[in-house]
Amino acid sequence: MGSSALPGGAPLNPYTNLKIARQFTRLDALRRGEQIVPTQVELVISDLCNHDCWFCHNRLSGMPSNEHFAGSEGQRNPNRTMPTAKALETIECAASMGVRAILFSGGGEPTVHKDHALIFQKALDSGLAAGLITNGEKLTPETLALLRGFSWVRVSLDAGTPETYARVRGISGDRFPRVLDNLRRLRCLGGPYIGVTFLVMRENIMEIEEAARVAKEAGAESIRYSPTRTPAGAGYYGGLYSEATAAIESAKQHQTPGFEVIDQFGKKLGDLAGPPDYSFCATQQFQVYIGADMGLYRCCHLSYNDRGIVGSIKDQTFQEAWESQFKRERIEQFDARNCHFCTFNQWNRTVNDLVHSQVMHPEFL
């Protein structure tokens, strides 16, 4: 499908934080001080990955989500997948609770799970909107056919050439063309919105424009540029900001009505500059991150982390965990100002404005 535009020519933005304004019922519940059923479940069915990206926040020492990711065996790439029966049960439970969407992400690589096709099919059969974040390498014909029913697929590319792809993702460069071929196959099948992501770092900054050209030729409908999360936060980009922003501007020459260059670099870099300036975190209620270890976490940044845990589905259903007193108290006691940084800042601030602002004369603009 081609990218569309709003009246007046403005392109549709799949990443806008204003989407939350459509969640009228949930926003009203928050205004009343209630806790809500999440609109989205981010389901990690595999912590095992077929790539070895140095910048993976789960595998990067010093990041919050690295705290327990390695497990008792201390493995950088733990062979840990969610039991198929538990994944199927969780999807069914989410649908019955009123969750609207399932996002399959990592952890590791979702398509590494031996039963990922069965699990993907369950999401579609349950009437949930489905999205997938993937490195795009293991998209078999069976998987591609299922993805026709997904709302969107986002492929992590992070390079414009096989050589740089190999360097940043810790694999052989001959796998780069395979990913591009899978993007083309996915586009030919039709169905989901196809996005590509590019995390800007020292090793790939010179290929920002080339990645846009490559992604466009492979059939992607957008490429999104964002900063890499490291323990250094925004400090990682000392001396690189001007070069990165200039290159992203240059990449915009590849925009067409069917291909968008989405620049989130500067905005997201500001999010990495320090702790949030608000206490109320809405992210932890509108979405929940369920790890392959079957823990329920506030968000991906605090996954596999003691501060992030709000429950577990290991010995109970998702609904039982979400409605538990333990989860309720963990949500109530959380103060976002104690986070090192938050890439959901803009989203959380929007919800705080919608829920907690004291509005005078609402009938006037």
Side-chain angles (χ1 to χ4, degrees):
M1 69 182 237
S3 295
S4 341
L6 296 169
L12 295 178
N13 183 354
Y15 303 109
T16 176
N17 56 292
L18 295 179
K19 288 190 287 186
I20 190 60
R22 304 293 183 92
Q23 302 291 333
F24 306 113
T25 303
R26 287 174 169 85
L27 289 171
D28 282 343
L30 290 180
R31 291 187 188 103
R32 295 191 298 268
E34 300 171 6
Q35 293 192 14
I36 60 175
V37 172
T39 185
Q40 170 187 304
V41 168
E42 187 165 352
L43 191 62
V44 176
I45 58 175
S46 174
D47 284 333
L48 184 66
C49 194
N50 55 328
H51 288 201
D52 189 20
C53 306
W54 73 262
F55 52 87
C56 175
H57 62 90
N58 288 327
R59 295 165 171 80
L60 194 58
S61 179
M63 294 297 284
S65 56
N66 180 251
E67 184 175 73
H68 298 306
F69 182 77
S72 59
E73 297 178 358
Q75 295 293 319
R76 173 178 167 82
N77 193 25
N79 187 8
R80 182 171 56 229
T81 58
M82 183 176 291
T84 301
K86 179 56 72 171
L88 298 176
E89 173 196 272
T90 300
I91 291 169
E92 184 173 345
C93 195
S96 69
M97 291 168 62
V99 172
R100 298 179 61 186
I102 291 284
L103 166 57
F104 296 103
S105 70
E109 166 55 37
T111 59
V112 166
H113 194 293
K114 65 181 180 64
D115 290 326
H116 72 270
L118 178 64
I119 295 168
F120 289 2
Q121 185 66 63
K122 179 66 174 179
L124 297 176
D125 291 344
S126 298
L128 294 164
L132 172 66
I133 299 176
T134 176
N135 58 42
E137 185 182 344
K138 295 176 69 64
L139 301 184
T140 65
E142 180 186 15
T143 302
L144 286 167
L146 283 170
L147 294 179
R148 293 181 67 179
F150 274 47
S151 298
W152 55 267
V153 176
R154 190 183 306 161
V155 176
S156 306
L157 201 62
D158 308 313
T161 64
E163 294 76 20
T164 298
Y165 188 77
R167 186 160 58 250
V168 300
R169 303 194 71 85
I171 55 173
S172 60
D174 59 1
R175 290 150 83 171
F176 185 67
R178 191 181 313 167
V179 173
L180 298 180
D181 285 343
N182 281 337
L183 274 170
R184 295 184 185 97
R185 293 186 182 100
L186 184 58
R187 184 61 182 268
C188 288
L189 283 171
Y193 178 93
I194 306 169
V196 160
T197 57
F198 187 107
L199 294 179
V200 177
M201 59 195 83
R202 294 186 181 94
E203 294 86 348
N204 66 9
I205 197 169
M206 67 290 188
E207 293 186 0
I208 285 175
E209 181 187 339
E210 178 65 9
R213 185 190 66 79
V214 167
K216 178 181 176 181
E217 290 183 354
E221 294 171 85
S222 68
I223 184 169
R224 181 188 71 176
Y225 295 99
S226 301
T228 304
R229 287 174 283 162
T230 74
Y236 171 83
Y237 289 95
L240 297 177
Y241 179 80
S242 295
E243 182 181 354
T245 53
I248 294 170
E249 282 302 308
S250 181
K252 291 179 181 178
Q253 68 182 286
H254 297 289
Q255 288 192 133
T256 64
F259 180 74
E260 299 293 333
V261 173
I262 299 173
D263 179 8
Q264 289 198 317
F265 179 73
K267 181 176 73 174
K268 291 294 186 181
L269 189 59
D271 292 338
L272 301 180
D277 56 1
Y278 50 84
S279 60
F280 180 74
C281 171
T283 297
Q284 61 179 336
Q285 293 199 58
F286 276 94
Q287 66 175 24
V288 60
Y289 184 103
I290 305 181
D293 65 346
M294 293 180 281
L296 268 63
Y297 298 100
R298 305 181 194 278
C299 66
C300 57
H301 309 309
L302 290 177
S303 60
Y304 307 96
N305 180 282
D306 287 340
R307 187 164 176 264
I309 192 76
V310 297
S312 172
I313 59 171
K314 186 175 181 180
D315 298 314
Q316 59 185 334
T317 67
F318 170 50
Q319 183 165 2
E320 289 169 338
W322 191 253
E323 294 177 352
S324 70
Q325 185 64 23
F326 176 79
K327 170 259 172 184
R328 178 171 296 278
E329 291 176 355
R330 293 286 288 175
I331 294 289
E332 288 174 350
Q333 296 164 2
F334 187 71
D335 189 334
R337 293 171 296 185
N338 294 322
C339 291
H340 183 55
F341 56 74
C342 178
T343 62
F344 298 104
N345 267 336
Q346 301 301 320
W347 201 90
N348 277 330
R349 287 183 180 128
T350 298
V351 177
N352 272 284
D353 283 344
L354 291 169
V355 172
H356 296 127
S357 292
Q358 298 298 313
V359 179
M360 179 181 289
H361 304 144
E363 61 272 23
F364 289 91
L365 299 180

